[in-house]
Short mmCIF file of all heavy atoms in Angstrom, two decimals:
data_model
loop_
_atom_site.label_atom_id
_atom_site.label_comp_id
_atom_site.label_asym_id
_atom_site.label_seq_id
_atom_site.Cartn_x
_atom_site.Cartn_y
_atom_site.Cartn_z
N MET A 1 0.82 -1.20 -0.01
CA MET A 1 -0.02 0.01 0.00
C MET A 1 0.85 1.23 -0.01
O MET A 1 1.90 1.33 0.65
CB MET A 1 -0.90 0.00 1.25
CG MET A 1 -1.98 -1.07 1.25
SD MET A 1 -3.08 -0.95 -0.13
CE MET A 1 -4.12 0.37 0.33
N PHE A 2 0.37 2.31 -0.70
CA PHE A 2 1.09 3.57 -0.72
C PHE A 2 0.77 4.34 0.52
O PHE A 2 -0.42 4.43 0.88
CB PHE A 2 0.74 4.35 -1.98
CG PHE A 2 1.34 3.78 -3.23
CD1 PHE A 2 0.53 3.35 -4.23
CD2 PHE A 2 2.72 3.78 -3.34
CE1 PHE A 2 1.16 2.88 -5.41
CE2 PHE A 2 3.31 3.34 -4.54
CZ PHE A 2 2.55 2.84 -5.52
N LYS A 3 1.78 4.92 1.07
CA LYS A 3 1.50 5.88 2.14
C LYS A 3 1.14 7.22 1.51
O LYS A 3 1.38 7.48 0.40
CB LYS A 3 2.79 6.05 2.99
CG LYS A 3 3.09 4.91 3.88
CD LYS A 3 4.27 5.28 4.78
CE LYS A 3 5.00 4.03 5.19
NZ LYS A 3 6.41 4.38 5.58
N LYS A 4 0.61 8.11 2.37
CA LYS A 4 0.12 9.41 1.86
C LYS A 4 1.26 10.25 1.34
O LYS A 4 1.09 11.00 0.38
CB LYS A 4 -0.48 10.14 3.04
CG LYS A 4 -1.57 11.12 2.56
CD LYS A 4 -2.35 11.69 3.76
CE LYS A 4 -3.11 12.93 3.31
NZ LYS A 4 -2.73 14.11 4.09
N ASP A 5 2.46 10.09 1.88
CA ASP A 5 3.54 10.89 1.44
C ASP A 5 4.44 10.17 0.43
O ASP A 5 5.58 10.61 0.17
CB ASP A 5 4.33 11.42 2.66
CG ASP A 5 4.99 10.29 3.39
OD1 ASP A 5 4.66 9.07 3.16
OD2 ASP A 5 5.85 10.50 4.25
N THR A 6 3.93 9.10 -0.13
CA THR A 6 4.71 8.40 -1.10
C THR A 6 4.18 8.66 -2.51
O THR A 6 2.97 8.64 -2.74
CB THR A 6 4.66 6.90 -0.85
OG1 THR A 6 5.19 6.66 0.45
CG2 THR A 6 5.45 6.10 -1.84
N CYS A 7 5.08 8.91 -3.45
CA CYS A 7 4.67 9.19 -4.82
C CYS A 7 4.06 7.91 -5.46
O CYS A 7 4.70 6.88 -5.47
CB CYS A 7 5.87 9.69 -5.62
SG CYS A 7 5.58 9.81 -7.42
N PRO A 8 2.84 7.99 -6.01
CA PRO A 8 2.18 6.81 -6.57
C PRO A 8 2.79 6.43 -7.89
O PRO A 8 2.61 5.35 -8.42
CB PRO A 8 0.74 7.25 -6.77
CG PRO A 8 0.76 8.73 -6.84
CD PRO A 8 1.96 9.20 -5.97
N LEU A 9 3.66 7.33 -8.47
CA LEU A 9 4.21 7.04 -9.78
C LEU A 9 5.53 6.32 -9.66
O LEU A 9 5.83 5.43 -10.44
CB LEU A 9 4.46 8.36 -10.54
CG LEU A 9 3.18 9.18 -10.77
CD1 LEU A 9 3.49 10.45 -11.50
CD2 LEU A 9 2.11 8.37 -11.52
N CYS A 10 6.37 6.70 -8.74
CA CYS A 10 7.74 6.13 -8.71
C CYS A 10 8.06 5.64 -7.31
O CYS A 10 9.14 5.03 -7.14
CB CYS A 10 8.75 7.19 -9.15
SG CYS A 10 9.07 8.46 -7.96
N GLY A 11 7.23 5.90 -6.32
CA GLY A 11 7.59 5.42 -4.99
C GLY A 11 8.55 6.35 -4.21
O GLY A 11 8.93 6.05 -3.10
N GLY A 12 8.84 7.51 -4.82
CA GLY A 12 9.69 8.48 -4.14
C GLY A 12 8.90 9.16 -3.02
O GLY A 12 7.72 8.85 -2.78
N LYS A 13 9.57 10.11 -2.36
CA LYS A 13 8.90 10.86 -1.29
C LYS A 13 8.35 12.19 -1.72
O LYS A 13 9.00 12.93 -2.46
CB LYS A 13 9.93 11.10 -0.13
CG LYS A 13 10.16 9.95 0.75
CD LYS A 13 10.25 10.44 2.20
CE LYS A 13 9.90 9.25 3.14
NZ LYS A 13 9.25 9.65 4.34
N LYS A 14 7.11 12.44 -1.25
CA LYS A 14 6.52 13.76 -1.52
C LYS A 14 7.03 14.73 -0.46
O LYS A 14 6.96 14.44 0.72
CB LYS A 14 4.98 13.72 -1.42
CG LYS A 14 4.28 12.95 -2.48
CD LYS A 14 2.81 13.07 -2.25
CE LYS A 14 2.02 12.09 -3.16
NZ LYS A 14 0.57 12.12 -2.82
N LYS A 15 7.52 15.91 -0.92
CA LYS A 15 7.94 16.87 0.03
C LYS A 15 7.33 18.22 -0.25
O LYS A 15 6.95 18.48 -1.41
CB LYS A 15 9.49 17.07 -0.09
CG LYS A 15 10.29 15.81 0.22
CD LYS A 15 11.51 16.16 0.96
CE LYS A 15 12.02 14.85 1.63
NZ LYS A 15 13.27 15.07 2.35
N SER A 16 7.07 19.03 0.79
CA SER A 16 6.54 20.36 0.59
C SER A 16 7.46 21.17 -0.24
O SER A 16 8.66 21.20 -0.04
CB SER A 16 6.29 21.00 1.95
OG SER A 16 5.39 20.30 2.68
N GLY A 17 6.91 21.84 -1.24
CA GLY A 17 7.71 22.69 -2.07
C GLY A 17 6.86 23.66 -2.82
O GLY A 17 5.71 23.92 -2.47
N LYS A 18 7.43 24.23 -3.86
CA LYS A 18 6.71 25.24 -4.68
C LYS A 18 6.60 24.67 -6.10
O LYS A 18 7.51 24.01 -6.57
CB LYS A 18 7.45 26.54 -4.70
CG LYS A 18 7.50 27.22 -3.38
CD LYS A 18 6.25 27.94 -3.07
CE LYS A 18 6.22 28.53 -1.67
NZ LYS A 18 7.19 29.64 -1.47
N SER A 19 5.50 24.95 -6.65
CA SER A 19 5.25 24.46 -8.08
C SER A 19 4.73 25.58 -8.90
O SER A 19 4.32 26.63 -8.44
CB SER A 19 4.31 23.29 -8.04
OG SER A 19 4.18 22.76 -9.34
N THR A 20 4.77 25.35 -10.22
CA THR A 20 4.16 26.28 -11.15
C THR A 20 3.03 25.55 -11.88
O THR A 20 3.24 24.41 -12.29
CB THR A 20 5.24 26.78 -12.20
OG1 THR A 20 6.25 27.43 -11.52
CG2 THR A 20 4.62 27.70 -13.20
N PHE A 21 1.81 26.11 -11.99
CA PHE A 21 0.89 25.44 -12.79
C PHE A 21 0.20 26.39 -13.81
O PHE A 21 0.24 27.61 -13.63
CB PHE A 21 -0.12 24.70 -11.92
CG PHE A 21 -1.23 25.54 -11.32
CD1 PHE A 21 -2.49 25.57 -11.85
CD2 PHE A 21 -0.98 26.21 -10.12
CE1 PHE A 21 -3.44 26.33 -11.25
CE2 PHE A 21 -1.98 26.98 -9.50
CZ PHE A 21 -3.21 27.03 -10.10
N THR A 22 -0.27 25.81 -14.85
CA THR A 22 -0.87 26.62 -15.90
C THR A 22 -2.35 26.30 -16.00
O THR A 22 -2.77 25.19 -15.77
CB THR A 22 -0.18 26.33 -17.24
OG1 THR A 22 -0.25 24.96 -17.50
CG2 THR A 22 1.24 26.78 -17.25
N VAL A 23 -3.17 27.32 -16.34
CA VAL A 23 -4.60 27.12 -16.52
C VAL A 23 -4.95 27.59 -17.91
O VAL A 23 -4.55 28.69 -18.32
CB VAL A 23 -5.40 28.01 -15.51
CG1 VAL A 23 -6.88 27.77 -15.68
CG2 VAL A 23 -4.94 27.73 -14.06
N ASN A 24 -5.61 26.75 -18.64
CA ASN A 24 -6.08 27.11 -19.95
C ASN A 24 -7.38 27.91 -19.91
O ASN A 24 -8.38 27.47 -19.40
CB ASN A 24 -6.31 25.87 -20.83
CG ASN A 24 -6.54 26.20 -22.28
OD1 ASN A 24 -6.88 27.30 -22.63
ND2 ASN A 24 -6.33 25.19 -23.11
N LEU A 25 -7.34 29.18 -20.28
CA LEU A 25 -8.50 30.10 -20.17
C LEU A 25 -9.32 30.10 -21.41
O LEU A 25 -10.28 30.86 -21.52
CB LEU A 25 -8.03 31.51 -19.89
CG LEU A 25 -7.16 31.76 -18.63
CD1 LEU A 25 -6.66 33.17 -18.58
CD2 LEU A 25 -7.81 31.30 -17.38
N GLY A 26 -8.93 29.29 -22.42
CA GLY A 26 -9.69 29.33 -23.68
C GLY A 26 -9.07 30.30 -24.59
O GLY A 26 -8.40 29.96 -25.57
N GLU A 27 -9.15 31.61 -24.28
CA GLU A 27 -8.54 32.65 -25.13
C GLU A 27 -7.08 32.90 -24.76
O GLU A 27 -6.36 33.59 -25.45
CB GLU A 27 -9.37 33.93 -25.09
CG GLU A 27 -9.41 34.48 -23.69
CD GLU A 27 -10.27 35.72 -23.61
OE1 GLU A 27 -10.07 36.69 -24.36
OE2 GLU A 27 -11.25 35.72 -22.77
N GLY A 28 -6.69 32.37 -23.66
CA GLY A 28 -5.29 32.63 -23.21
C GLY A 28 -4.88 31.57 -22.19
O GLY A 28 -5.61 30.59 -21.97
N VAL A 29 -3.70 31.80 -21.62
CA VAL A 29 -3.15 30.84 -20.63
C VAL A 29 -2.74 31.64 -19.43
O VAL A 29 -2.07 32.65 -19.51
CB VAL A 29 -1.93 30.07 -21.28
CG1 VAL A 29 -1.34 29.21 -20.20
CG2 VAL A 29 -2.35 29.27 -22.44
N LEU A 30 -3.04 31.11 -18.27
CA LEU A 30 -2.57 31.71 -17.00
C LEU A 30 -1.52 30.81 -16.38
O LEU A 30 -1.70 29.62 -16.30
CB LEU A 30 -3.78 31.82 -16.02
CG LEU A 30 -3.37 32.13 -14.58
CD1 LEU A 30 -2.84 33.48 -14.48
CD2 LEU A 30 -4.64 32.02 -13.70
N VAL A 31 -0.39 31.47 -16.08
CA VAL A 31 0.68 30.72 -15.45
C VAL A 31 0.79 31.20 -14.01
O VAL A 31 0.99 32.41 -13.82
CB VAL A 31 2.04 30.93 -16.18
CG1 VAL A 31 3.16 30.17 -15.48
CG2 VAL A 31 1.94 30.56 -17.65
N VAL A 32 0.60 30.33 -13.06
CA VAL A 32 0.72 30.73 -11.62
C VAL A 32 2.00 30.17 -11.06
O VAL A 32 2.21 28.94 -11.11
CB VAL A 32 -0.50 30.28 -10.80
CG1 VAL A 32 -0.45 30.83 -9.42
CG2 VAL A 32 -1.75 30.65 -11.52
N ARG A 33 2.79 31.02 -10.53
CA ARG A 33 4.11 30.61 -9.95
C ARG A 33 4.07 30.57 -8.48
O ARG A 33 3.18 31.20 -7.83
CB ARG A 33 5.22 31.56 -10.47
CG ARG A 33 5.32 31.66 -12.00
CD ARG A 33 6.40 32.56 -12.38
NE ARG A 33 7.69 32.09 -11.94
CZ ARG A 33 8.58 32.80 -11.23
NH1 ARG A 33 8.26 34.06 -10.91
NH2 ARG A 33 9.66 32.29 -10.81
N GLU A 34 5.05 29.89 -7.90
CA GLU A 34 5.22 29.86 -6.45
C GLU A 34 4.02 29.27 -5.69
O GLU A 34 3.61 29.75 -4.63
CB GLU A 34 5.45 31.29 -5.92
CG GLU A 34 6.65 31.96 -6.61
CD GLU A 34 7.97 31.45 -6.11
OE1 GLU A 34 8.25 31.45 -4.91
OE2 GLU A 34 8.77 30.96 -6.93
N VAL A 35 3.38 28.29 -6.32
CA VAL A 35 2.22 27.66 -5.66
C VAL A 35 2.68 26.62 -4.65
O VAL A 35 3.47 25.76 -5.00
CB VAL A 35 1.33 26.98 -6.72
CG1 VAL A 35 0.09 26.38 -6.05
CG2 VAL A 35 0.97 28.01 -7.79
N PRO A 36 2.17 26.65 -3.39
CA PRO A 36 2.55 25.58 -2.46
C PRO A 36 2.06 24.23 -2.95
O PRO A 36 0.87 24.11 -3.30
CB PRO A 36 1.84 26.03 -1.16
CG PRO A 36 1.29 27.40 -1.36
CD PRO A 36 1.25 27.64 -2.82
N ALA A 37 2.93 23.28 -2.94
CA ALA A 37 2.52 21.98 -3.47
C ALA A 37 3.48 20.94 -2.85
O ALA A 37 4.45 21.19 -2.23
CB ALA A 37 2.71 21.96 -4.98
N LEU A 38 3.02 19.71 -2.99
CA LEU A 38 3.87 18.57 -2.63
C LEU A 38 4.60 18.11 -3.92
O LEU A 38 3.96 17.95 -4.95
CB LEU A 38 3.06 17.42 -2.04
CG LEU A 38 2.35 17.66 -0.71
CD1 LEU A 38 1.46 16.54 -0.35
CD2 LEU A 38 3.42 17.83 0.35
N VAL A 39 5.91 18.00 -3.81
CA VAL A 39 6.71 17.64 -4.98
C VAL A 39 7.48 16.36 -4.69
O VAL A 39 8.12 16.25 -3.62
CB VAL A 39 7.69 18.79 -5.32
CG1 VAL A 39 8.46 18.45 -6.57
CG2 VAL A 39 6.91 20.16 -5.46
N CYS A 40 7.43 15.47 -5.63
CA CYS A 40 8.18 14.22 -5.48
C CYS A 40 9.68 14.45 -5.57
O CYS A 40 10.08 15.13 -6.55
CB CYS A 40 7.74 13.19 -6.55
SG CYS A 40 8.71 11.68 -6.51
N ASN A 41 10.47 13.97 -4.66
CA ASN A 41 11.90 14.25 -4.75
C ASN A 41 12.61 13.36 -5.70
O ASN A 41 13.77 13.46 -5.97
CB ASN A 41 12.54 14.09 -3.33
CG ASN A 41 12.54 12.71 -2.80
OD1 ASN A 41 11.95 11.77 -3.41
ND2 ASN A 41 13.18 12.45 -1.75
N GLN A 42 11.87 12.44 -6.34
CA GLN A 42 12.53 11.54 -7.26
C GLN A 42 12.12 11.83 -8.75
O GLN A 42 12.96 12.06 -9.58
CB GLN A 42 12.09 10.07 -6.96
CG GLN A 42 13.23 9.13 -7.22
CD GLN A 42 12.98 7.81 -6.43
OE1 GLN A 42 13.22 7.67 -5.27
NE2 GLN A 42 12.44 6.84 -7.16
N CYS A 43 10.83 11.91 -9.04
CA CYS A 43 10.40 12.17 -10.41
C CYS A 43 9.94 13.60 -10.68
O CYS A 43 9.70 14.00 -11.82
CB CYS A 43 9.35 11.16 -10.84
SG CYS A 43 7.75 11.42 -10.12
N GLY A 44 9.73 14.36 -9.61
CA GLY A 44 9.33 15.74 -9.82
C GLY A 44 7.84 15.97 -10.00
O GLY A 44 7.41 17.11 -10.19
N GLU A 45 7.06 14.95 -9.96
CA GLU A 45 5.62 15.12 -10.08
C GLU A 45 5.13 15.95 -8.91
O GLU A 45 5.68 15.87 -7.81
CB GLU A 45 4.93 13.71 -10.02
CG GLU A 45 3.46 13.68 -10.21
CD GLU A 45 2.98 14.01 -11.62
OE1 GLU A 45 3.78 13.94 -12.57
OE2 GLU A 45 1.77 14.43 -11.74
N ASP A 46 4.10 16.82 -9.17
CA ASP A 46 3.64 17.65 -8.08
C ASP A 46 2.18 17.51 -7.87
O ASP A 46 1.36 17.21 -8.76
CB ASP A 46 4.12 19.10 -8.25
CG ASP A 46 3.71 19.67 -9.64
OD1 ASP A 46 2.70 19.24 -10.14
OD2 ASP A 46 4.53 20.42 -10.14
N TRP A 47 1.77 17.77 -6.64
CA TRP A 47 0.34 17.82 -6.25
C TRP A 47 -0.01 19.09 -5.61
O TRP A 47 0.59 19.44 -4.55
CB TRP A 47 0.06 16.63 -5.28
CG TRP A 47 0.23 15.26 -5.88
CD1 TRP A 47 -0.77 14.48 -6.43
CD2 TRP A 47 1.47 14.53 -6.06
NE1 TRP A 47 -0.22 13.33 -6.90
CE2 TRP A 47 1.14 13.33 -6.67
CE3 TRP A 47 2.76 14.81 -5.74
CZ2 TRP A 47 2.15 12.43 -7.03
CZ3 TRP A 47 3.76 13.88 -6.09
CH2 TRP A 47 3.40 12.66 -6.71
N ILE A 48 -0.89 19.84 -6.18
CA ILE A 48 -1.32 21.09 -5.61
C ILE A 48 -2.25 20.80 -4.44
O ILE A 48 -3.13 19.97 -4.50
CB ILE A 48 -2.12 21.99 -6.63
CG1 ILE A 48 -1.28 22.11 -7.94
CG2 ILE A 48 -2.53 23.31 -6.03
CD1 ILE A 48 -0.08 22.92 -7.87
N GLU A 49 -2.01 21.48 -3.33
CA GLU A 49 -2.87 21.23 -2.17
C GLU A 49 -4.28 21.76 -2.31
O GLU A 49 -4.47 22.78 -2.97
CB GLU A 49 -2.21 21.88 -0.91
CG GLU A 49 -0.90 21.16 -0.57
CD GLU A 49 -0.15 21.84 0.51
OE1 GLU A 49 -0.75 22.32 1.47
OE2 GLU A 49 1.10 21.93 0.42
N ASP A 50 -5.21 21.13 -1.72
CA ASP A 50 -6.62 21.51 -1.91
C ASP A 50 -6.97 22.93 -1.50
O ASP A 50 -7.75 23.59 -2.16
CB ASP A 50 -7.54 20.58 -1.04
CG ASP A 50 -7.57 19.16 -1.61
OD1 ASP A 50 -7.14 18.99 -2.80
OD2 ASP A 50 -8.00 18.24 -0.90
N LYS A 51 -6.35 23.41 -0.45
CA LYS A 51 -6.61 24.76 0.02
C LYS A 51 -6.18 25.83 -1.00
O LYS A 51 -6.59 26.98 -0.90
CB LYS A 51 -5.90 24.98 1.35
CG LYS A 51 -4.40 24.96 1.25
CD LYS A 51 -3.73 25.08 2.63
CE LYS A 51 -2.23 24.88 2.51
NZ LYS A 51 -1.57 24.82 3.75
N VAL A 52 -5.42 25.43 -1.93
CA VAL A 52 -4.88 26.32 -2.97
C VAL A 52 -5.96 26.62 -4.02
O VAL A 52 -6.01 27.65 -4.70
CB VAL A 52 -3.62 25.70 -3.63
CG1 VAL A 52 -3.31 26.40 -4.94
CG2 VAL A 52 -2.46 25.75 -2.65
N ALA A 53 -6.90 25.68 -4.14
CA ALA A 53 -7.92 25.75 -5.24
C ALA A 53 -8.66 27.05 -5.30
O ALA A 53 -8.81 27.62 -6.38
CB ALA A 53 -8.87 24.57 -5.16
N SER A 54 -9.17 27.58 -4.18
CA SER A 54 -10.00 28.77 -4.24
C SER A 54 -9.16 29.99 -4.60
O SER A 54 -9.63 30.82 -5.34
CB SER A 54 -10.70 28.98 -2.86
OG SER A 54 -9.74 29.23 -1.89
N ARG A 55 -7.93 30.03 -4.14
CA ARG A 55 -7.09 31.18 -4.51
C ARG A 55 -6.79 31.14 -6.05
O ARG A 55 -6.82 32.14 -6.71
CB ARG A 55 -5.75 31.06 -3.71
CG ARG A 55 -4.67 32.04 -4.15
CD ARG A 55 -5.02 33.50 -3.77
NE ARG A 55 -3.94 34.39 -4.23
CZ ARG A 55 -4.14 35.53 -4.81
NH1 ARG A 55 -5.34 35.93 -5.08
NH2 ARG A 55 -3.14 36.30 -5.11
N SER A 56 -6.57 29.99 -6.54
CA SER A 56 -6.22 29.91 -7.95
C SER A 56 -7.45 30.25 -8.82
O SER A 56 -7.34 30.72 -9.94
CB SER A 56 -5.65 28.51 -8.33
OG SER A 56 -6.50 27.49 -7.85
N GLU A 57 -8.64 29.96 -8.25
CA GLU A 57 -9.84 30.36 -8.93
C GLU A 57 -9.99 31.91 -9.08
O GLU A 57 -10.33 32.39 -10.07
CB GLU A 57 -11.04 29.79 -8.16
CG GLU A 57 -12.25 29.42 -9.07
CD GLU A 57 -13.25 28.55 -8.29
OE1 GLU A 57 -12.99 27.32 -8.17
OE2 GLU A 57 -14.17 29.13 -7.71
N ASP A 58 -9.65 32.58 -7.98
CA ASP A 58 -9.60 34.04 -8.00
C ASP A 58 -8.64 34.55 -9.07
O ASP A 58 -9.00 35.46 -9.85
CB ASP A 58 -9.09 34.61 -6.63
CG ASP A 58 -10.12 34.40 -5.55
OD1 ASP A 58 -11.23 34.03 -5.88
OD2 ASP A 58 -9.74 34.56 -4.38
N LEU A 59 -7.46 34.01 -9.14
CA LEU A 59 -6.43 34.41 -10.14
C LEU A 59 -6.92 34.13 -11.52
O LEU A 59 -6.71 34.91 -12.42
CB LEU A 59 -5.12 33.63 -9.88
CG LEU A 59 -4.33 34.00 -8.59
CD1 LEU A 59 -3.24 33.00 -8.36
CD2 LEU A 59 -3.80 35.43 -8.77
N THR A 60 -7.63 33.00 -11.68
CA THR A 60 -8.19 32.69 -13.00
C THR A 60 -9.22 33.71 -13.42
O THR A 60 -9.16 34.14 -14.57
CB THR A 60 -8.83 31.28 -12.94
OG1 THR A 60 -7.84 30.32 -12.48
CG2 THR A 60 -9.33 30.87 -14.36
N ASN A 61 -10.12 34.07 -12.52
CA ASN A 61 -11.12 35.04 -12.86
C ASN A 61 -10.51 36.39 -13.27
O ASN A 61 -10.95 37.09 -14.17
CB ASN A 61 -12.14 35.21 -11.70
CG ASN A 61 -13.00 33.95 -11.54
OD1 ASN A 61 -13.20 33.22 -12.49
ND2 ASN A 61 -13.47 33.75 -10.36
N GLU A 62 -9.49 36.82 -12.46
CA GLU A 62 -8.83 38.10 -12.72
C GLU A 62 -8.20 38.05 -14.06
O GLU A 62 -8.27 38.99 -14.84
CB GLU A 62 -7.77 38.33 -11.65
CG GLU A 62 -8.29 38.89 -10.35
CD GLU A 62 -7.27 38.90 -9.28
OE1 GLU A 62 -6.08 39.17 -9.57
OE2 GLU A 62 -7.65 38.59 -8.13
N ALA A 63 -7.53 36.98 -14.42
CA ALA A 63 -6.86 36.87 -15.70
C ALA A 63 -7.81 36.89 -16.83
O ALA A 63 -7.55 37.47 -17.88
CB ALA A 63 -6.02 35.53 -15.72
N ARG A 64 -9.00 36.25 -16.65
CA ARG A 64 -9.98 36.25 -17.72
C ARG A 64 -10.42 37.65 -18.13
O ARG A 64 -10.64 37.99 -19.25
CB ARG A 64 -11.21 35.42 -17.26
CG ARG A 64 -11.08 33.96 -17.52
CD ARG A 64 -12.33 33.35 -17.84
NE ARG A 64 -12.17 31.90 -18.18
CZ ARG A 64 -12.23 30.91 -17.30
NH1 ARG A 64 -12.51 31.15 -16.06
NH2 ARG A 64 -11.99 29.65 -17.72
N LYS A 65 -10.56 38.48 -17.03
CA LYS A 65 -11.04 39.87 -17.32
C LYS A 65 -10.05 40.67 -18.17
O LYS A 65 -10.43 41.60 -18.86
CB LYS A 65 -11.23 40.61 -15.94
CG LYS A 65 -12.51 40.18 -15.22
CD LYS A 65 -12.64 40.96 -13.90
CE LYS A 65 -13.38 40.13 -12.89
NZ LYS A 65 -12.98 40.50 -11.51
N LYS A 66 -8.76 40.31 -18.02
CA LYS A 66 -7.72 41.09 -18.73
C LYS A 66 -7.60 40.74 -20.24
O LYS A 66 -6.96 41.45 -21.00
CB LYS A 66 -6.39 40.88 -18.06
CG LYS A 66 -6.33 41.42 -16.66
CD LYS A 66 -4.93 41.25 -16.08
CE LYS A 66 -4.93 41.54 -14.58
NZ LYS A 66 -3.63 41.07 -14.00
N HIS A 67 -8.16 39.60 -20.59
CA HIS A 67 -8.11 39.15 -21.99
C HIS A 67 -6.70 39.17 -22.59
O HIS A 67 -6.53 39.60 -23.74
CB HIS A 67 -9.06 40.06 -22.87
CG HIS A 67 -10.46 40.05 -22.42
ND1 HIS A 67 -11.27 38.94 -22.53
CD2 HIS A 67 -11.19 41.00 -21.77
CE1 HIS A 67 -12.46 39.24 -21.96
NE2 HIS A 67 -12.42 40.44 -21.53
N LEU A 68 -5.77 38.70 -21.83
CA LEU A 68 -4.40 38.58 -22.35
C LEU A 68 -4.17 37.20 -22.84
O LEU A 68 -4.88 36.22 -22.48
CB LEU A 68 -3.38 38.84 -21.15
CG LEU A 68 -3.44 40.26 -20.59
CD1 LEU A 68 -2.53 40.35 -19.37
CD2 LEU A 68 -3.01 41.31 -21.60
N GLN A 69 -3.20 37.13 -23.74
CA GLN A 69 -2.86 35.76 -24.28
C GLN A 69 -2.16 34.95 -23.23
O GLN A 69 -2.43 33.78 -23.06
CB GLN A 69 -1.91 35.98 -25.50
CG GLN A 69 -2.57 36.55 -26.70
CD GLN A 69 -3.08 35.50 -27.63
OE1 GLN A 69 -2.32 34.77 -28.22
NE2 GLN A 69 -4.39 35.43 -27.82
N VAL A 70 -1.25 35.60 -22.53
CA VAL A 70 -0.54 34.92 -21.47
C VAL A 70 -0.46 35.80 -20.25
O VAL A 70 -0.11 36.98 -20.37
CB VAL A 70 0.94 34.60 -21.85
CG1 VAL A 70 1.64 33.86 -20.74
CG2 VAL A 70 0.94 33.72 -23.14
N GLU A 71 -0.89 35.33 -19.10
CA GLU A 71 -0.85 36.07 -17.89
C GLU A 71 0.03 35.26 -16.91
O GLU A 71 -0.21 34.06 -16.75
CB GLU A 71 -2.21 36.24 -17.32
CG GLU A 71 -2.34 36.74 -15.87
CD GLU A 71 -2.10 38.23 -15.75
OE1 GLU A 71 -1.50 38.82 -16.65
OE2 GLU A 71 -2.53 38.78 -14.74
N VAL A 72 0.98 35.93 -16.26
CA VAL A 72 1.78 35.23 -15.25
C VAL A 72 1.52 35.88 -13.91
O VAL A 72 1.60 37.10 -13.75
CB VAL A 72 3.28 35.36 -15.55
CG1 VAL A 72 4.11 34.59 -14.56
CG2 VAL A 72 3.59 34.79 -17.02
N ALA A 73 1.13 35.08 -12.94
CA ALA A 73 0.82 35.55 -11.63
C ALA A 73 1.60 34.82 -10.58
O ALA A 73 1.92 33.61 -10.76
CB ALA A 73 -0.65 35.39 -11.32
N ALA A 74 1.96 35.53 -9.49
CA ALA A 74 2.63 34.84 -8.36
C ALA A 74 1.51 34.44 -7.43
O ALA A 74 0.52 35.21 -7.24
CB ALA A 74 3.58 35.72 -7.69
N PHE A 75 1.60 33.32 -6.84
CA PHE A 75 0.51 32.82 -5.95
C PHE A 75 0.35 33.64 -4.71
O PHE A 75 -0.81 34.01 -4.33
CB PHE A 75 0.78 31.37 -5.56
CG PHE A 75 -0.40 30.84 -4.79
CD1 PHE A 75 -1.49 30.34 -5.45
CD2 PHE A 75 -0.34 30.75 -3.42
CE1 PHE A 75 -2.56 29.85 -4.76
CE2 PHE A 75 -1.39 30.22 -2.71
CZ PHE A 75 -2.51 29.77 -3.35
N ALA A 76 1.41 34.06 -4.12
CA ALA A 76 1.37 34.75 -2.82
C ALA A 76 0.74 36.15 -2.95
O ALA A 76 0.87 36.82 -3.94
CB ALA A 76 2.80 34.88 -2.27
ZN1 LIG B 101 7.76 10.26 -8.00
#
């Protein structure tokens, strides 16, 4: 059985770190940097934490209003 802090892909360890994720807005792309996430120390796969979801929704809505092709936002 996999433990909660074990990577399901490679069996490496998940560690708290920062990740970058992108959201497809249809007319553009939002890139959010410095997002708190769990990152595998072996294969680099990342998992965004649940509490991050509402914040990233705000950023997505803001980016949509700007109608830019590419928007880059820092999470913090
Ligand atoms: Zn892994």
Side-chain angles (χ1 to χ4, degrees):
M1 293 300 283
F2 285 117
K3 285 188 208 156
K4 207 171 164 238
D5 63 348
T6 300
C7 173
L9 301 180
C10 73
K13 278 222 158 213
K14 291 183 191 174
K15 299 219 162 177
S16 296
K18 295 279 173 68
S19 183
T20 299
F21 78 100
T22 55
V23 183
N24 190 341
L25 303 175
E27 62 185 303
V29 175
L30 168 65
V31 180
V32 187
R33 302 181 62 232
E34 305 286 303
V35 182
L38 292 172
V39 183
C40 175
N41 69 352
Q42 216 161 278
C43 70
E45 182 71 19
D46 51 35
W47 294 264
I48 308 291
E49 292 172 42
D50 289 345
K51 64 186 176 189
V52 165
S54 63
R55 171 72 179 134
S56 50
E57 213 165 276
D58 291 348
L59 291 169
T60 303
N61 290 335
E62 280 170 37
R64 275 213 174 93
K65 283 181 208 153
K66 293 182 191 167
H67 301 290
L68 297 173
Q69 290 268 295
V70 179
E71 166 81 339
V72 181
F75 185 80

